[in-house]
Amino acid sequence: MAGVDVREVSNKQVLARDYITGIPKESDMYVSNGTIKIKVPEGSKAVLLNNLYLSCDVYMRGHAKNQQAEQITFYSPNSPVIGFGVSKVLDSGHPDFKEGDLVWGVTGWEEYSLVTNMESFFKISHTDVPLSYYTGILGMPGMTAYAGFYKVCSPKQGEYVYISSAFGAVGQIVGQFAKLMGCYVVGSAGSQEKVEILKNKLGFDEAFNYKEEPDLDAALKRYFPQGIDIYFENVGGKMLDAVLLNMRLHGRIAVCGMVSQYSLDQHQGVHNLMHLVYKRIRMEGFFFSDYTHLYEEFLDTVVPYIKQGKLTYAQDIAQGLENGPAALVRLFSGLNAGKSLVAVTPQ
């Protein structure tokens, strides 16, 4: 019950030194040990969380003060880094959450968080799958893949599907969804190791290392001689320009992100947009938050696939909160070997 336990415990945290512009460095963050009361304030609707897993994601970049499109401020001076995580409720004054509940949502990079607004959190009802999956395939990346592929792209059996950044937290799920639909699937990634995993473990028909392709248009024509029906866009820039040349009539493009543009002061222009007209292509951007009302439908689809072995998910788990900054920075260098996350307490 709220307000019963008045103990204070140590609370290890990863704090930002200041606001960050662009890709974070390890030196932008530091580990600190504070204390926290293991109760919520009397009469409050806050919830006290014990954070179990923290998600490292490519959108966790700093933004210039004039860029207000982001929904979350990830880095504030001498405050915990903010991101998605999996947590256990230790104490609650909120009528919808009770001690012992498992949840996922936006939390701090710390052992314990006192959350006053629980609107972003989802209760975890399926505990017979790894809890870490709720930072990935059963969390925000999974919902993003589900909404983008099934709802935005409206796929049909036998269609030709291309996914950029296909080894990312979202891309590896989209590719498997497409194979389950009976589509032909090709993905691109940034290393030969990732290419091999896409083909041999995740079931992609083909994959290529975009860093070894001097002519992206020629590469896409090689893998899609008949053109592309669905493009799941994660990169932008030159990749998008090349894809537009290779789209089929009435193709669909789901714009999930544009990782090549995030850190540029001046975004690159796209030159082949007239192909949207010539080929009657539908191109649509979206956020996972547009589709949270479908979360139960998503779980009903994806959890059985996982249990049946029809979906697999590559994870790269850093052990211990103190190793979180290094794990996050590795992600931006493409050195992760799957969905990057942090186990707050080493396992």
Side-chain angles (χ1 to χ4, degrees), residues 234-254:
N234 292 305
V235 172
K238 294 178 181 179
M239 182 65 78
L240 176 58
D241 247 344
V243 169
L244 287 169
L245 294 174
N246 289 277
M247 291 296 292
R248 287 159 62 95
L249 197 66
H250 300 296
R252 287 86 72 206
I253 300 175

Side-chain angles (χ1 to χ4, degrees), residues 167 185-187 192-208 223:
F167 194 66
V185 183
V186 177
Q192 194 57 39
E193 177 187 9
K194 293 178 180 179
V195 165
E196 293 304 318
I197 294 173
L198 289 172
K199 292 193 295 184
N200 298 328
K201 293 186 178 181
L202 300 180
F204 283 57
D205 292 291
E206 291 289 350
F208 65 91
Y223 290 103

Side-chain angles (χ1 to χ4, degrees), residues 2-39:
V4 173
D5 194 346
V6 297
R7 289 184 302 118
E8 280 195 354
V9 297
S10 175
N11 188 22
K12 186 182 292 184
Q13 302 173 299
V14 174
L15 307 179
R17 295 188 185 278
D18 204 340
Y19 295 109
I20 298 174
T21 299
I23 296 175
K25 305 181 294 293
E26 284 191 59
S27 59
D28 291 324
M29 297 165 274
Y30 66 99
V31 177
S32 178
N33 285 292
T35 60
I36 189 170
K37 292 182 179 179
I38 301 297
K39 70 166 189 174

Side-chain angles (χ1 to χ4, degrees), residues 11 44 46 55 85 121 127 132 147 168 187 198 228 233 273:
N11 188 22
S44 167
S55 182
F121 281 84
T127 57
S132 58
L198 289 172
I228 300 167
E233 164 70 301
L273 289 174

Side-chain angles (χ1 to χ4, degrees), residues 76 120 168 295:
S76 298
S120 77
Y295 188 59

Side-chain angles (χ1 to χ4, degrees), residues 204-219:
F204 283 57
D205 292 291
E206 291 289 350
F208 65 91
N209 182 352
Y210 70 90
K211 295 178 181 178
E212 296 180 353
E213 298 291 348
D215 186 337
L216 291 172
D217 176 34

